[in-house]
Amino acid sequence: MTEKEMWNLYTKNNDVKNKTYEAWCFGGDASSANKLANLVLKGIKTATASAYKLYEIEKSPLPSAGELSIILDCDNNAVCITKTTKVYTCPFKEVSRNHAFKEGEGDLSLAYWRKVHKDFFSKELKEYNLEFDENMLIVCEEFEVVYK
């Protein structure tokens, strides 16, 4: 289903106050994007994290509670719609076990989260000639599936 088809079905059947949304897929490769979208669809993944520095570079606003997103797979098919419930920033080294668990990846541990995200953020930052730093700010976002 396309993002527009999913959005139209969602707004037709729900009282939607916020008529805007962002459509996006999780970063990394196609396999990761699909795997993470599937974890969201199953209700296992209820959080994500991104590098604050990239929001600054791209002059993009941070996500905020109440925003709606259409999660896409690697082929830009709509998987589900999520609503952001909480957004906060903290240094990478202070991301909590609870947040790592909510991300729903691997063995759900903080150690796994740190390894995978250090690799991911290092790769992302390298594109801007920046280096990963454990003190760098991370945008932690929590969400719930509101339509699938």
Side-chain angles (χ1 to χ4, degrees):
M1 171 180 316
T2 69
E3 70 180 74
K4 290 195 185 315
E5 289 169 334
M6 181 172 276
W7 183 251
N8 288 337
L9 287 171
Y10 176 67
T11 57
K12 179 181 174 183
N13 297 315
N14 294 278
D15 180 25
V16 180
K17 300 198 182 351
N18 178 358
K19 296 287 187 183
T20 62
Y21 66 90
E22 293 287 326
W24 51 275
C25 67
F26 288 96
D29 57 34
S31 174
S32 294
N34 289 346
K35 180 178 155 194
L36 297 175
N38 194 39
L39 289 174
V40 172
L41 187 61
K42 291 179 178 178
I44 297 168
K45 181 173 183 60
T46 60
T48 193
S50 46
Y52 181 85
K53 192 74 172 161
L54 298 182
Y55 286 94
E56 285 184 325
I57 290 168
E58 297 168 2
K59 295 181 172 56
S60 297
L62 295 181
S64 60
E67 288 183 348
L68 297 170
S69 294
I70 297 180
I71 305 301
L72 305 172
D73 66 15
C74 71
D75 296 317
N76 288 324
N77 296 309
V79 175
C80 62
I81 299 177
T82 62
K83 180 179 180 181
T84 301
T85 57
K86 182 178 181 181
V87 179
Y88 60 96
T89 60
C90 67
F92 179 89
K93 66 183 183 183
E94 293 178 18
V95 170
S96 69
R97 269 192 190 104
N98 188 42
H99 184 83
F101 179 83
K102 288 178 180 182
E103 287 226 19
E105 301 172 38
D107 65 4
L108 309 179
S109 71
L110 182 57
Y112 178 89
W113 185 92
R114 284 188 174 151
K115 181 193 179 327
V116 169
H117 284 78
K118 179 180 179 181
D119 294 345
F120 177 73
F121 292 141
S122 294
K123 186 177 176 182
E124 268 195 326
L125 292 167
K126 191 173 186 176
E127 292 178 29
Y128 296 94
N129 294 317
L130 298 171
E131 293 194 19
F132 172 83
D133 177 345
E134 294 222 348
N135 292 307
M136 68 183 235
L137 278 181
I138 301 300
V139 178
C140 297
E141 180 180 354
E142 297 179 17
F143 52 81
E144 62 186 3
V145 173
V146 294
Y147 189 80
K148 52 185 174 178

